[in-house]
């Protein structure tokens, strides 16, 4: 007997028929003797509809009332799934975030989980064999009001609950059947990985792979929650679906569980990047803080930063990237504070893409970066900026070459070979 958390996203619970299919997945695990908690998202499109209603009521609205409205989508799904399970003869009840309780900070609309008291859920596991159906994406803030966790927050809810009940595994059911070496829509030869480390998944999630929310991967890594990414659209009763040790999908786990570590695990990409270059910035202590401090205060996420070495000792060039949607705001801030930031001119370019090569095996292998640069050069792709970390190389290129670059890198590292 094991404790499992099963999480189902919006497309998986898009209507009552799909909720019935979800219930069959849950029943399979209950019939196997496992204790099960289920975390559900709102039906596909419902959260957007609720957000639209809030904005229609008032463009500037109380964040606490916003949370009260948008949290209702998950509550509807949880109730419907509990009803469906009961109709199938399974002891189940729905839980809203505040009932468990899932305690958060006071940042309504983007709250962070602080603690979960799952004692009552565990008691009902042991004494009543009851399935807990939890409304994801929500908790209770210090002001005793519903607080939502931000977009994709149901993934975070699931991993946090898995940690709180000491679950043996957290299964994230979605509309894809696992984590692939790159986007299969770009590279048809992309392969589903059997296992990937927390660190690699964190990099892929933060660099454009939208399989899991970044915060959920961070939480899984901190609490060592073994997480499976699986498809909810596969037949719940198909052979192997109930295999506890090796179900179909991708296991996200500690790197110690990965016996054979490839040098490169996957290729991620992020479109709609913009580059800003500040020319002849005064080369003195405190200038970087003067530039990036106001951008951070305005909520502009700065990513790749390249500073040229100053030859004369008095001025240097500084280049960095921001999301394309923040380019106008960032340039306005920089131009307004030009005197304090002490630069001569500002240049910007949008329509760029960041392509990243990721793999924990890079720690112990040389020549990984050179291989990437040669592959791109052979296809006439110009590199605008490069940043590296222990397990990642990120390369900024013109957006028109995105698909060519992804396919080239995927092939040159042999990721298309089984």
């Amino acid at each position: 007997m094991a404790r499992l958390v099963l999480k189902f996203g919006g497309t998986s619970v898009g209507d009552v028929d799909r909720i019935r299919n979800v219930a069959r997945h849950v029943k399979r695990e209950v019939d196997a003797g496992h204790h099960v908690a289920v975390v559900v998202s709102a039906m596909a499109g419902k959260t957007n509809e609720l957000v639209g209603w809030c904005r229609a009521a008032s463009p500037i609205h109380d964040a606490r009332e916003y949370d009260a409205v948008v949290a209702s989508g998950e509550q509807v799904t949880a109730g419907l799934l509990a009803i469906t399970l009961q109709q199938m003869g399974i002891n189940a009840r729905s839980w809203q975030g505040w009932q468990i309780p899932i305690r958060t900070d006071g940042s309504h609309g983007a709250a962070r989980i602080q603690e979960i008291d799952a004692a009552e859920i565990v008691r009902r596991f042991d004494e009543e064999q009851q399935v807990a159906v939890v409304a994801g994406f929500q908790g209770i803030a210090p002001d005793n009001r519903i607080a939502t966790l931000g977009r994709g927050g149901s993934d975070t809810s699931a991993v946090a609950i898995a940690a709180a009940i000491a679950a043996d595994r957290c299964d994230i059911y979605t509309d894809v059947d696992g984590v692939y070496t790159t986007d299969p829509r770009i590279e048809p030869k992309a392969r589903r990985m059997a296992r990937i480390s927390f660190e690699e998944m964190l990099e892929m999630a933060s660099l454009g792979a939208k399989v899991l929310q970044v915060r959920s991967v961070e939480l899984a890594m901190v609490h060592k929650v073994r997480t499976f990414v699986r498809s909810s659209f596969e037949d719940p009763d198909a052979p192997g679906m109930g295999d506890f040790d090796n179900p179909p999908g991708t296991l996200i786990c500690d790197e110690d569980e990965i016996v054979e570590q490839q040098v490169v695990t996957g290729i991620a990409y992020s479109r709609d990047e913009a580059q800003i270059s500040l020319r002849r910035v005064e080369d003195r202590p405190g200038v970087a803080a003067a530039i990036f401090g106001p951008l951070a205060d305005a909520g502009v996420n700065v990513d790749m930063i390249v500073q040229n070495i100053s030859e004369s000792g008095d001025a240097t060039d500084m280049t960095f990237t921001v999301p394309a949607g923040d380019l106008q705001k960032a340039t306005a801030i920089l131009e307004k504070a030009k005197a304090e930031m002490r630069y001569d001119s500002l240049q910007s370019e949008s329509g760029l893409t960041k392509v990243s090569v990721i793999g924990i095996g890079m720690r112990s292998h040389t020549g990984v970066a050179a291989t990437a640069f040669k592959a791109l050069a052979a296809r006439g792709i110009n590199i605008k900026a490069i940043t590296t970390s222990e397990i990642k190389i990120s390369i900024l290129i013109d957006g028109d070459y995105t698909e060519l670059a992804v396919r080239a890198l995927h092939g040159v590292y042999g990721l298309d070979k089984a």
Side-chain angles (χ1 to χ4, degrees):
M1 180 183 294
R3 285 183 189 167
L4 300 178
V5 173
L6 314 182
K7 183 266 175 178
F8 294 90
T11 53
S12 303
V13 294
D15 54 37
V16 173
D17 284 340
R18 289 187 176 179
I19 289 173
R20 288 195 186 99
N21 187 62
V22 164
R24 291 175 60 208
H25 282 287
V26 177
K27 186 177 187 299
R28 182 192 64 234
E29 304 297 355
V30 172
D31 290 346
H34 302 313
H35 291 159
V36 180
V38 189
V39 177
V40 292
S41 298
M43 293 179 176
K46 181 56 66 176
T47 301
N48 286 339
E49 182 181 37
L50 295 169
V51 170
W53 288 350
C54 289
R55 289 174 177 163
S58 173
I60 301 174
H61 42 256
D62 187 331
R64 295 163 298 183
E65 302 303 342
Y66 168 92
D67 277 354
V69 173
V70 299
S72 65
E74 282 73 15
Q75 294 168 16
V76 169
T77 310
L80 289 173
L81 179 56
I83 290 169
T84 305
L85 289 168
Q86 290 167 4
Q87 192 269 335
M88 298 170 71
I90 296 172
N91 181 10
R93 70 151 282 184
S94 65
W95 297 81
Q96 297 176 21
W98 62 269
Q99 292 174 310
I100 294 174
I102 298 173
R103 301 195 182 279
T104 73
D105 61 18
S107 303
H108 284 277
R112 299 187 77 87
I113 296 172
Q114 295 185 324
E115 64 174 342
I116 298 177
D117 182 359
E120 182 61 16
I121 286 178
V122 172
R123 184 191 71 78
R124 288 169 182 248
F125 281 165
D126 296 334
E127 297 179 12
E128 304 176 29
Q129 303 297 304
Q130 187 178 77
V131 173
V133 184
V134 182
F137 176 62
Q138 62 185 256
I140 183 167
D143 59 5
N144 215 32
R145 301 287 298 271
I146 292 173
T148 62
L149 309 180
R151 282 311 180 91
S154 291
D155 285 349
T156 304
S157 299
V159 173
I161 289 169
I165 68 172
D168 296 276
R169 201 175 71 216
C170 178
D171 289 358
I172 306 290
Y173 285 84
T174 180
D175 54 0
V176 295
D177 61 353
V179 181
Y180 280 71
T181 49
T182 195
D183 188 343
R185 294 169 299 181
I186 285 183
E187 175 50 87
K189 295 179 181 177
R191 293 182 299 105
R192 186 180 74 191
M193 292 178 273
R195 298 189 176 204
I196 183 173
S197 73
F198 291 123
E199 287 180 272
E200 290 169 323
M201 190 66 236
L202 186 59
E203 292 287 5
M204 292 192 76
S206 64
L207 292 166
K210 295 178 170 56
V211 177
L212 286 177
Q213 194 227 29
V214 174
R215 269 200 296 165
S216 69
V217 183
E218 290 175 345
L219 206 57
M221 184 165 65
V222 168
H223 294 283
K224 304 294 184 187
V225 176
R226 299 173 83 247
T227 305
F228 257 99
V229 177
R230 308 178 61 174
S231 171
S232 64
F233 296 114
E234 293 186 17
D235 183 352
D237 301 316
M241 288 296 287
D243 184 339
F244 182 77
D245 294 317
N246 293 294
T250 300
L251 174 64
I252 304 165
C253 58
D254 195 87
E255 66 178 271
D256 293 341
E257 290 193 54
I258 302 174
V259 179
E260 293 186 20
Q261 297 176 353
Q262 286 187 277
V263 178
V264 171
T265 299
I267 310 296
Y269 67 94
S270 175
R271 296 186 191 268
D272 298 322
E273 298 282 327
Q275 179 177 272
I276 296 173
S277 296
L278 301 180
R279 303 300 183 192
R280 291 195 56 78
V281 180
E282 187 172 313
D283 193 9
R284 63 176 179 81
V287 168
I291 292 169
F292 296 115
L295 293 174
D297 292 342
V300 176
N301 182 33
V302 174
D303 186 17
M304 307 172 80
I305 302 174
V306 179
Q307 181 175 346
N308 294 335
I309 297 173
S310 170
E311 291 185 7
S312 62
D314 63 345
T316 185
D317 292 340
M318 190 173 290
T319 300
F320 53 92
T321 63
V322 299
D326 288 338
L327 177 59
Q328 189 173 356
K329 178 165 68 171
T331 53
I333 291 168
L334 294 168
E335 287 169 352
K336 183 178 179 181
K338 183 176 180 181
E340 293 82 8
M341 296 178 182
R342 303 192 183 188
Y343 65 87
D344 281 357
S345 63
L346 181 154
Q347 298 172 343
S348 65
E349 183 180 3
S350 58
L352 306 177
T353 292
K354 177 174 61 180
V355 181
S356 302
V357 178
I358 300 158
I360 51 177
M362 291 165 58
R363 291 174 177 155
S364 54
H365 288 76
T366 60
V368 179
T371 299
F373 303 153
K374 288 177 184 176
L376 297 180
R379 289 156 181 83
I381 301 173
N382 186 45
I383 297 172
K384 296 179 177 291
I386 304 163
T387 58
T388 63
S389 72
E390 196 176 25
I391 66 167
K392 175 194 69 178
I393 302 163
S394 288
I395 302 165
L396 192 68
I397 62 172
D398 191 295
D400 291 341
Y401 294 97
T402 302
E403 296 187 8
L404 179 60
V406 169
R407 287 195 293 267
L409 295 173
H410 192 268
V412 79
Y413 293 112
L415 295 178
D416 51 355
K417 297 180 177 63

